[in-house]
């Protein structure tokens, strides 16, 4: 859901590209769905079959997001992005860039730690993405002779990374709303979907 520090600035872009916007909101929706499923699995008592189904769905969405996040990072590093407002204090710009990098770091860590956790699970339950595509375990972890301590450590990493990501998302949303309703600048609008964009506007940096 966040954006990386601009790979290139000063290009005159007034919006993020169409591809970047689509990936941003797809990832945001996926992350919010995973958060809801995770909270349900942790805090609501369900029958065994329903828990199994939710875990499979959680893993399916997580693996899908892993690929979308990789694509988003690749796109972000090779395409210019709008610069932050010129009147934004330097310290605030630095904080925004660090927060964005932390958000991306956690988005990479979470699916990888989840995949590793499943691979080393003592239960050995196979992962089938969306009930149709078998997904392999990580080969090294799946053959460890003593999986229990590794699984326990990965559970801790995955748990606290999840809460860390949720906290940063809340901060990210609050910052975007501040830009929109307090500072009245263009930061939030840069990432909002745009319909019926004119060719003139696209020439100013809104090309997909």
């Amino acid at each position: 859901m966040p954006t990386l520090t601009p790979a290139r600035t000063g290009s005159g872009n007034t919006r993020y590209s169409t591809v970047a916007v689509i990936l941003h909101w797809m990832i945001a929706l996926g992350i919010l769905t995973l958060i809801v499923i995770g909270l349900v699995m942790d805090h609501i008592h369900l029958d065994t079959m329903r828990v199994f189904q939710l875990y499979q769905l959680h893993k399916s969405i997580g693996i899908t997001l892993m690929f979308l996040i990789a694509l988003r990072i690749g796109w972000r590093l090779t395409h210019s992005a709008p610069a932050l407002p010129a009147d934004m204090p330097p310290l605030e710009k630095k904080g925004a860039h660090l927060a964005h990098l932390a958000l991306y770091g956690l988005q990479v860590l979470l699916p990888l730690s989840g995949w590793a956790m499943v691979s080393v699970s003592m239960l050995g339950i196979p992962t089938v993405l969306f009930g149709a595509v078998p997904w392999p375990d990580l080969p090294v972890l799946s053959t460890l002779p003593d999986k229990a301590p590794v699984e326990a450590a990965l559970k801790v990493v995955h748990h606290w990374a999840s809460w860390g990501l949720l906290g940063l998302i809340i901060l990210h949303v609050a910052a975007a709303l501040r830009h929109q309703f307090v500072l009245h600048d263009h930061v939030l609008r840069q990432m909002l979907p745009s319909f019926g964009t004119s060719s003139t506007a696209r020439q100013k940096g809104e090309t997909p």
Side-chain angles (χ1 to χ4, degrees):
M1 112 173 264
T3 55
L4 279 174
T5 303
R8 300 188 299 275
T9 58
S11 61
N13 288 6
T14 58
R15 288 179 50 79
Y16 286 93
S17 68
T18 300
V19 171
V21 171
I22 291 173
L23 287 172
H24 176 278
W25 291 108
M26 287 179 66
I27 292 169
L29 179 60
I31 289 175
L32 292 176
T33 302
L34 287 179
I35 289 172
V36 172
I37 293 175
L39 291 173
V40 169
M41 291 190 301
D42 285 346
H43 300 288
I44 297 180
H45 179 72
L46 300 170
D47 61 78
T48 303
M49 181 53 66
R50 185 56 58 85
V51 171
F52 172 79
Q53 292 171 342
L54 284 176
Y55 267 98
Q56 290 292 340
L57 180 60
H58 189 85
K59 291 187 288 183
S60 298
I61 297 174
I63 294 297
T64 302
L65 282 180
M66 183 174 67
F67 287 102
L68 289 177
I69 290 164
L71 180 59
R72 178 71 180 97
I73 291 174
W75 185 268
R76 185 63 189 81
L77 292 174
T78 55
H79 292 77
S80 60
L84 292 170
D87 58 351
M88 191 172 175
L91 187 60
E92 192 173 332
K93 287 183 179 180
K94 185 67 173 179
H97 292 161
L98 290 176
H100 292 158
L101 289 173
L103 279 163
Y104 259 89
L106 288 175
Q107 286 181 80
V108 171
L109 174 62
L110 275 165
L112 289 178
S113 64
W115 187 11
M117 188 169 59
V118 168
S119 300
V120 79
S121 173
M122 300 294 292
L123 298 176
I125 299 174
T127 298
V128 182
L129 304 183
F130 301 106
V133 181
W135 185 256
D137 291 334
L138 290 168
V140 174
L141 294 178
S142 61
T143 57
L144 287 176
D146 187 10
K147 296 181 178 180
V150 180
E151 182 182 10
L154 287 169
K155 283 183 177 179
V156 172
V157 170
H158 197 74
H159 174 82
W160 287 110
S162 299
W163 282 110
L165 180 60
L166 178 58
L168 284 173
I169 288 171
I170 293 172
L171 179 64
H172 180 71
V173 172
L177 294 176
R178 174 174 173 266
H179 279 284
Q180 180 69 18
F181 299 108
V182 178
L183 301 178
H184 304 290
D185 58 30
H186 60 278
V187 169
L188 177 59
R189 292 192 297 274
Q190 290 175 157
M191 189 53 86
L192 292 178
S194 178
F195 303 98
T197 304
S198 67
S199 58
T200 302
R202 288 186 178 278
Q203 290 173 359
K204 292 180 179 179
E206 298 182 17
T207 52

